[in-house]
Amino acid sequence: MDAETVLSDLVASGPRQVCFWSGAGVSMAPPTNLPSGFELTRTAAEWAFLPGTLDDVVQYYERLHISRELPRLEVLLGVASAPDNHGGRILRQLFSPMRRAPPNALHRFFASHIDAGGTHITANFDACIERAGDIHTKVLHYHGSIDDGV
């Protein structure tokens, strides 16, 4: 079954019966063109930590048999944005492109689903779904949103 068929079947079941979950892949599509979570993690590490820090962490992960290629983005951001480190400055820099990124077709689809009574949960920090449908409180950003001052 293709993605289009799955989506149309979900929509046919009624928006109130469907909760979509999304991640960075939604905001990578043009014209939004935001980076993947993997890319954001690498960029955060490059901007906020000494050169080689990410490589050291990856080596520790390998030695400890932690099955992750990179540390979780929110862990790096938590350490980097601590008041004793970079504070909110690093978050403002990293998330700056998200503030002006235009919504894409996926954002518009999810916004129309929410407008029809559906729900949406996302790992994304950007507010493209809200901007696509001029909605403000119906998307749950479980890592926070740039509109919340993240």
Side-chain angles (χ1 to χ4, degrees):
M1 190 177 294
D2 66 3
E4 211 169 291
T5 304
V6 170
L7 285 177
S8 68
D9 288 351
L10 286 172
V11 171
S13 71
R16 294 185 193 286
Q17 302 301 313
V18 178
C19 175
F20 284 107
W21 286 71
S22 65
V26 169
S27 296
M28 290 169 55
T32 312
N33 297 322
L34 290 176
S36 68
F38 187 85
E39 292 169 311
L40 275 174
T41 301
R42 286 204 167 279
T43 301
E46 289 170 8
W47 289 1
F49 299 95
L50 294 172
T53 300
L54 187 59
D55 294 333
D56 291 345
V57 170
V58 169
Q59 287 177 5
Y60 283 120
Y61 275 23
E62 288 171 2
R63 291 200 319 236
L64 294 169
H65 303 287
I66 296 173
S67 59
R68 291 193 57 83
E69 191 170 340
L70 293 175
R72 297 186 58 80
L73 174 62
E74 58 273 19
V75 171
L76 285 181
L77 295 178
V79 172
S81 64
D84 293 347
N85 294 322
H86 299 282
R89 182 172 45 94
I90 192 71
L91 297 179
R92 285 189 297 278
Q93 281 181 296
L94 190 64
F95 295 153
S96 176
M98 295 178 193
R99 295 191 188 284
R100 61 184 179 278
N104 62 37
L106 291 168
H107 297 124
R108 288 189 294 279
F109 170 80
F110 291 132
S112 67
H113 176 255
I114 293 166
D115 286 342
T119 55
H120 195 96
I121 301 170
T122 186
N124 291 353
F125 297 105
D126 69 74
C128 290
I129 295 171
E130 292 90 334
R131 286 199 311 274
D134 195 31
I135 52 180
H136 302 286
T137 59
K138 297 181 182 176
V139 178
L140 172 63
H141 293 262
Y142 63 86
H143 290 308
S145 166
I146 57 169
D147 285 354
D148 298 334
V150 171

